Amino acid sequence: MIEKLIIQKTLRVPASTAGPGDGTPVARQLDAALLGVGFSASRALLEHLGGLAPGPAMDLAATVVSAVRELVGDHVQHNAYFIGFPHDVPDTIEFWVDRLRAAVLTGAGTATDAQLRDAALSGGVNLLDLPAYGTYQHTYPELLAAHDTLVTTAGDRVTLLHLGDTVEVEAARLYLALAGSPTPHGEADLAILGELAVACADGAQPAQIPVRENRAVLNGIRLVLGRPLVGVDTTTDVLRLACQVSGGDVSLAAPTRFRAFRRPERRMLLAALNEVVAAHPDKLGDVARYAERWKRLGERLHPHEYDQWPHAQAVFTVARGERRVHNLAGRAETAIRAGAIGPAASVLSAAPGLLLRSADRLLRLASASERATVVDAVTGALGSASGRVLLSLREHVDNRLTPASARMYAGRSRTAWVGPDERPPLPAGLVAELSSLLDAEITARLPQWHRPLLVDPQVLDVALPLSGKAAEGGFAVLPRGSRASVSGELLRFFTYWRQTSRRTDYDLSLLLLDDDFHSSGQVSWTNYRHDGVVHSGDVTDARNGATEFIDAPLTVGGRYVVPQVNIYAGESFDEVAESMFGYQTRARDQRGAPFDARTVRARSELRGQGRVALPMVFARNEGGWQAVWLHLYLPGRPSFNRVEENTFTTADRVRALMERRYLTVSYLVDRWRARNEVTTWDGRPPDEPVTFVGIEAPENLPDGSEAFTLGRLNELIPG
């Protein structure tokens, strides 16, 4: 339902257009139900609900509750293997011995130690096959009955829901924001954009669509509907579009199996391709990069049947290698290999974004006499590159004064490569010069408001969302590198998964690292307890869904707490029907069921390549604990992944990320101080309309205010 998408994405509830009546009892019920899952309705939302007829009011309330329960992961039953968790969890070895005794139990007697030794030494014992191992021995209602009601504390989360406009207005607003985003989206938001594009096909369309993947999603809808394509200006745009409508990877990171196209669709794709190449023949230089995919697409489009579009036919001639075309990147690479760095920079000046992404390499290779030429080329490109590229380069040069302890590159699939940083640092004077040039250009592009800027201090350490691909969908999920203060006395991690067709065993584990990023202990299915950290027990089959928990008191030894999810057997994160990770904060003596939505601080989807997921790391510093988002996956092994076996690779990636300096919202706020009145929010409502920047929008902002919250921070990235 579109209403659910809007609520989950914006925390705004679309206003109902149903007739008036007395929905006050429903409003009271909604308020109570929301508080039970850590949400609260604004006064305006409760008043709106109370003014509706009971039937429509109940429908709206049911939609709201269903949406927020899904958002925080409360729509499924989170059962624990040990019914008394976090209490009554046995010692790991004692538990295994107990399961082994059950396996060799003779008649009504008890297995002797000798029988246990014989069974263990026989080599035929599989821990996972022992009686009652890995399967729930109690129902979810029995789990709830074994626990007291949650004792609420002042620190429990309460997230405010606001009243929005009608569903049509809210859908159009969200559609325009997603389609016109200056940064790429992750898979979840691209799926939302696709749904909204269908619903809003006859409404207002964005004036600009800066991100090419967004164009492909929108044009996919237009192609199916037979409407003119928009924003197609490269051959790769047509390839992305063909991948999109074939259900493939619009980012082109993975090959796509193209579907059969109807004749009108073939004509639209070939006509667009012909128009692009006719206007800019040099665009043929992009074809060789994806030559194999163009060949496969040609088998579906039959370009030889359309002689009226010779330029489109030329694309497939190049793809087959019958015609050779040098592209700009190839000419620049030839110059670099010849040692002509200045000429290489001049060649790349025709593609400002590519030049800026190559700036570090050019500056490192340039001689003293050529360095000024490269800087001049970079300076000339600043005005033409996107704001996202400028911010990426600004963050990059800020990390180039000294060699990193480890160099990490995280790809679009969120798998990370780590290796030694063998690059020589850039001179301090050069870094200062580039930083000053970039700061000036970025500042000039920032929007200027006529209202004061009111900033929630909690948002200052959020990394700028330069790409949605570096994060997962979910609730209160921050971009990679973001930091958030952690309150409470205890962290409770949870992972839930539900297999699609074959037995799937995910293992929630926890690695402790010291100040030097060396292992200081672990908790997993092979070690239920360590230094106060407790595991809830190993579940090995998730045909009806399964959850594992780990409790970690904030008094734990070690500097870094690294939760991870290992695939021991079965389906991948992309194959399971559903999978998630999240964390709760609690007081040490806070009773209640293992999972309670009111204590959930964040919940993210687990949808990525790799067999080991590293969602977050928790770091202790002088001011307390901070949650730092990783959004990384390790390749792992096809099966039998365990925390003990990936300690080194995990520590490498954690260290590389923790030592990297990310551009955060505070960087933009500092730029705004020279142009706007900037005030730090102290929790009190302002007296005049403001532009609010924060994690969540407060209630009772004056009329005329605008709020940029977590879901809209990408809109602050200049174009």
Side-chain angles (χ1 to χ4, degrees):
M1 294 174 62
I2 295 295
E3 290 88 344
K4 269 191 180 181
L5 288 179
I6 293 169
I7 295 169
Q8 292 172 345
K9 186 65 182 172
T10 68
L11 298 181
R12 291 167 60 88
V13 178
S16 173
T17 57
D22 184 11
T24 304
V26 178
R28 287 197 296 266
Q29 293 172 19
L30 174 65
D31 198 32
L34 288 177
L35 287 175
V37 288
F39 288 83
S40 176
S42 69
R43 180 179 302 174
L45 176 55
L46 291 177
E47 290 176 351
H48 173 72
L49 198 67
L52 296 174
M58 185 62 72
D59 291 341
L60 180 58
T63 299
V64 172
V65 173
S66 176
V68 298
R69 289 189 65 195
E70 288 181 10
L71 193 58
V72 295
D74 193 49
H75 61 296
V76 298
Q77 296 179 347
H78 295 279
N79 204 348
Y81 181 80
F82 294 118
I83 193 170
F85 172 81
H87 308 289
D88 305 323
V89 175
D91 174 80
T92 315
I93 300 301
E94 290 180 359
F95 172 70
W96 289 350
V97 170
D98 178 69
R99 293 299 88 210
L100 188 57
R101 287 186 189 279
V104 298
L105 190 66
T106 56
T110 302
T112 66
D113 290 344
Q115 289 174 310
L116 295 181
R117 280 194 301 272
D118 291 342
L121 293 174
S122 68
V125 175
N126 182 347
L127 175 64
L128 303 184
D129 292 335
L130 295 179
Y133 186 92
T135 57
Y136 290 117
Q137 301 302 296
H138 54 267
T139 65
Y140 183 65
E142 288 171 341
L143 173 83
L144 296 181
H147 290 268
D148 298 329
T149 302
L150 180 78
V151 178
T152 57
T153 69
D156 290 344
R157 176 188 55 80
V158 178
T159 302
L160 185 65
L161 296 176
H162 298 266
L163 176 66
D165 292 307
T166 63
V167 65
E168 292 79 13
V169 173
E170 290 291 338
R173 181 182 291 131
L174 181 56
Y175 167 65
L176 293 175
L178 290 174
S181 170
T183 60
H185 296 307
E187 293 180 6
D189 281 349
L190 280 178
I192 294 174
L193 176 59
E195 292 192 42
L196 291 173
V198 175
C200 301
D202 296 322
Q205 300 300 311
Q208 290 185 328
I209 311 173
V211 178
R212 296 189 181 277
E213 293 173 23
N214 296 354
R215 293 185 206 174
V217 171
L218 269 59
N219 279 329
I221 304 300
R222 302 181 73 84
L223 181 74
V224 173
L225 296 178
R227 301 188 181 184
L229 306 181
V230 296
V232 176
D233 57 11
T234 70
T235 57
T236 309
D237 284 339
V238 178
L239 185 60
R240 291 185 194 276
L241 171 55
C243 291
Q244 166 66 22
V245 296
S246 299
D249 180 12
V250 71
S251 73
L252 305 181
T256 293
R257 181 170 185 157
F258 296 107
R259 67 168 172 83
F261 295 95
R262 295 179 292 113
R263 181 173 291 273
E265 293 174 336
R266 297 203 302 270
R267 294 175 65 89
M268 288 182 67
L269 290 169
L270 290 170
L273 203 54
N274 191 78
E275 184 177 348
V276 167
V277 178
H280 300 282
D282 58 305
K283 296 295 178 70
L284 284 173
D286 299 332
V287 173
R289 182 180 180 187
Y290 301 108
E292 289 303 315
R293 295 180 214 190
W294 280 114
K295 292 180 196 176
R296 302 288 82 78
L297 181 59
E299 295 170 356
R300 295 295 190 178
L301 297 185
H302 314 301
H304 59 279
E305 298 178 3
Y306 300 90
D307 291 336
Q308 68 268 41
W309 293 314
H311 298 290
Q313 292 177 335
V315 169
F316 300 95
T317 302
V318 172
R320 293 191 299 268
E322 299 170 7
R323 176 178 171 184
R324 191 176 182 86
V325 179
H326 294 284
N327 62 13
L328 182 144
R331 297 199 305 272
E333 187 64 30
T334 300
I336 290 173
R337 291 179 179 178
I341 307 304
S346 298
V347 170
L348 291 174
S349 295
L354 183 57
L355 172 61
L356 296 185
R357 285 189 285 269
S358 306
D360 187 312
R361 183 187 181 200
L362 294 173
L363 289 168
R364 280 186 282 116
L365 296 176
S367 63
S369 59
E370 287 183 310
R371 186 168 289 169
T373 302
V374 176
V375 172
D376 288 343
V378 168
T379 303
L382 295 181
S384 303
S386 69
R388 182 169 65 93
V389 172
L390 297 179
L391 289 165
S392 296
L393 180 58
R394 180 64 177 83
E395 179 179 284
H396 176 81
V397 298
D398 199 32
N399 287 275
R400 292 291 286 115
L401 284 172
T402 57
S405 59
R407 186 180 179 187
M408 183 179 76
Y409 172 77
R412 293 183 175 184
S413 62
R414 297 186 293 279
T415 53
W417 173 89
V418 173
D421 188 2
E422 298 175 346
R423 301 167 300 173
L426 296 178
L430 180 58
V431 169
E433 180 181 5
L434 291 174
S435 298
S436 178
L437 291 170
L438 289 163
D439 288 346
E441 180 65 30
I442 292 167
T443 301
R445 294 196 193 186
L446 289 176
Q448 188 168 2
W449 293 291
H450 300 293
R451 303 178 295 264
L453 185 64
L454 184 62
V455 180
D456 180 357
Q458 293 186 27
V459 81
L460 294 177
D461 287 333
V462 174
L464 293 179
L466 301 180
S467 174
K469 297 180 181 302
E472 307 273 9
F475 170 70
V477 177
L478 303 182
R480 179 183 296 133
S482 298
R483 297 172 179 253
S485 297
V486 175
S487 59
E489 300 172 330
L490 179 142
L491 295 170
R492 177 167 295 172
F493 305 108
F494 64 92
T495 191
Y496 171 88
W497 73 102
R498 179 166 54 86
Q499 63 204 44
T500 300
S501 59
R502 55 195 171 106
R503 188 182 72 83
T504 298
D505 180 5
Y506 286 6
D507 292 321
L508 179 63
S509 307
L510 185 143
L511 178 65
L512 298 172
L513 301 176
D514 62 18
D515 291 358
D516 297 319
F517 297 92
H518 297 148
S519 174
S520 60
Q522 63 91 4
V523 170
S524 66
W525 68 275
T526 64
N527 187 37
Y528 287 154
R529 295 178 178 274
H530 176 81
D531 195 18
V533 183
V534 185
H535 195 284
S536 67
D538 188 21
V539 185
T540 62
D541 190 287
R543 67 191 67 188
N544 297 314
T547 304
E548 292 184 7
F549 299 91
I550 291 179
D551 268 13
L554 294 180
T555 55
V556 66
R559 177 75 177 275
Y560 303 99
V561 174
V562 189
Q564 59 182 257
V565 181
N566 293 269
I567 300 180
Y568 190 82
E571 298 166 348
S572 70
F573 296 117
D574 287 334
E575 293 174 324
V576 289
E578 186 176 4
S579 59
M580 70 178 81
F581 166 87
Y583 81 96
Q584 310 167 53
T585 57
R586 297 199 177 201
R588 288 293 295 268
D589 59 350
Q590 193 172 11
R591 301 292 181 176
F595 181 91
D596 193 290
R598 287 168 287 185
T599 63
V600 173
R601 295 295 177 175
R603 182 201 67 88
S604 67
E605 306 289 347
L606 290 179
R607 293 293 188 188
Q609 299 177 14
R611 307 288 285 184
V612 180
L614 301 176
M616 312 177 71
V617 58
F618 291 78
R620 188 205 310 266
N621 55 32
E622 297 79 8
W625 286 86
Q626 283 188 319
V628 186
W629 287 90
L630 297 178
H631 298 298
L632 294 176
Y633 290 85
L634 305 181
R637 302 191 304 181
S639 299
F640 314 128
N641 293 286
R642 294 189 299 152
V643 63
E644 300 96 321
E645 297 171 346
N646 62 50
T647 296
F648 180 76
T649 52
T650 297
D652 259 4
R653 284 152 180 79
V654 169
R655 180 170 191 166
L657 188 140
M658 293 299 300
E659 293 181 349
R660 180 175 178 82
R661 291 183 293 276
Y662 284 81
L663 279 192
T664 63
V665 174
S666 64
Y667 171 81
L668 292 186
V669 172
D670 289 341
R671 307 278 77 73
W672 265 307
R673 292 187 190 280
R675 307 178 61 189
N676 285 85
E677 177 187 347
V678 179
T679 306
T680 300
W681 184 49
D682 59 4
R684 294 179 296 181
D687 298 325
E688 58 180 328
V690 297
T691 298
F692 179 82
V693 179
I695 301 293
E696 298 176 9
E699 194 170 10
N700 299 325
L701 283 178
D703 291 340
S705 297
E706 185 172 14
F708 289 89
T709 51
L710 189 56
R712 295 189 62 192
L713 291 182
N714 66 320
E715 297 179 37
L716 299 178
I717 305 298

